[in-house]
Amino acid sequence: MFLLSLGFASVWAQAANSIEMEISTPTDSERILEELNFFIKEALEQKKQAYPEREYNFKISGLNSRLSFDPCLDRLTINNQQDKWQGRTTFKVGCPNASWSVYVSVYIQALAPVVVAKRSLPKQTLLTEEHLARRMQDLNRLRHGYFTQIADAVGLKTRYPIGEGDVLKAVQLERPLVVEKGDRVTILARNALLEVKMKGEALEDGYLNEQIQVKNLNSGRIIRAFIRSPGVVEVIL
């Protein structure tokens, strides 16, 4: 088996699922694996251009040493059958002029920084940057719904207890209500030259930066305003 860890990529090359390489010597299992190793290395370096924070490792399953192949005088073709560059996938290696092909199993590991709990978090914790960190994780072992940026989780509230070092998932979190119906709020009306504050009453529940109906307690008018923080709504003049 081959094991290769990729560092930062060199230069961007056009991504492709099939790359052809010259082989003029008799083709055996070792040569096929060497060419496949080079192919995957180049393809993953291209992937790192799109995902520079990721690190890749891969393992190529060995071929049966008793297999024999006719010499390939044409170009050896290599194709990622499933167009997968993460997890278990299969590559087809073939020689057009000799009319043979072989399928090789490859495991590709993708590591990337994801958001985890810096310490144990009780239920209903309102998340701040101090609660969170980013750590390298094997993406093959994670389901969808994880966070890659701390800012995307800040301001959310935990629905369940989360252990120290656990990966945060969207299903574990919820958006907290910042204003609830019936709350007394400050209505802030402003432009570049003027700022006016008035007392109001929220007529709807709402989240941060959401627009809700608010009653101006001075005039009795019902207006729509954006929630800027707990107890504060803003009208854009």
Side-chain angles (χ1 to χ4, degrees):
M1 285 190 177
F2 289 81
L3 174 62
L4 181 64
S5 295
L6 300 182
F8 288 101
S10 51
V11 295
W12 174 258
Q14 184 178 1
N17 291 329
S18 181
I19 298 177
E20 296 182 337
M21 288 155 284
E22 299 282 356
I23 289 184
S24 57
T25 58
T27 308
D28 56 17
S29 298
E30 183 177 353
R31 185 59 183 271
I32 290 172
L33 295 179
E34 287 177 354
E35 297 291 351
L36 180 57
N37 183 82
F38 178 78
F39 173 88
I40 297 173
K41 176 184 176 182
E42 290 298 306
L44 292 180
E45 285 180 342
Q46 294 172 17
K47 291 291 181 184
K48 276 191 65 67
Q49 298 297 322
Y51 304 101
E53 290 188 311
R54 291 191 181 184
E55 296 178 4
Y56 290 98
N57 306 300
F58 64 90
K59 290 183 180 180
I60 302 175
S61 297
L63 294 175
N64 190 328
S65 60
R66 292 174 295 180
L67 290 175
S68 61
F69 304 92
D70 293 334
C72 187
L73 304 179
D74 205 338
R75 291 182 176 181
L76 188 70
T77 59
I78 301 177
N79 182 266
N80 186 337
Q81 289 293 98
Q82 299 155 299
D83 193 22
K84 283 179 57 181
W85 295 99
Q86 190 174 310
R88 181 71 59 185
T89 189
T90 302
F91 288 82
K92 180 181 179 181
V93 183
C95 178
N97 79 290
S99 298
W100 59 258
S101 62
V102 64
Y103 293 89
V104 184
S105 178
V106 178
Y107 181 79
I108 301 174
Q109 181 188 54
L111 302 170
V114 301
V115 180
V116 302
K118 190 182 293 185
R119 56 179 180 268
S120 295
L121 302 174
K123 179 180 178 180
Q124 295 300 299
T125 299
L126 185 63
L127 297 178
T128 67
E129 290 188 8
E130 288 69 30
H131 294 121
L132 308 172
R134 294 173 81 221
R135 293 178 186 162
M136 297 297 286
Q137 298 286 330
D138 185 350
L139 299 184
N140 296 334
R141 299 183 178 182
L142 300 180
R143 295 184 177 181
H144 296 296
Y146 56 84
F147 296 85
T148 59
Q149 301 299 324
I150 288 177
D152 294 336
V154 169
L156 301 181
K157 184 180 289 186
T158 57
R159 299 175 63 188
Y160 317 103
I162 299 175
E164 180 180 353
D166 287 354
V167 175
L168 263 67
K169 300 174 183 176
V171 69
Q172 300 170 315
L173 308 175
E174 61 185 1
R175 294 173 66 193
L177 285 173
V178 176
V179 170
E180 296 186 26
K181 182 178 179 179
D183 283 355
R184 293 300 176 94
V185 297
T186 297
I187 302 171
L188 187 62
R190 61 183 173 185
N191 58 24
L193 301 176
L194 179 68
E195 178 177 296
V196 178
K197 294 182 179 179
M198 298 162 282
K199 294 181 179 181
E201 179 184 344
L203 301 181
E204 299 176 279
D205 296 339
Y207 302 100
L208 188 66
N209 294 323
E210 185 178 27
Q211 193 177 46
I212 62 170
Q213 286 190 329
V214 178
K215 182 177 181 180
N216 185 326
L217 296 180
N218 294 332
S219 66
R221 290 182 56 197
I222 295 176
I223 60 174
R224 295 192 65 81
F226 292 94
I227 300 172
R228 297 309 188 198
S229 62
V232 178
V233 299
E234 181 181 12
V235 177
I236 306 300
L237 299 177

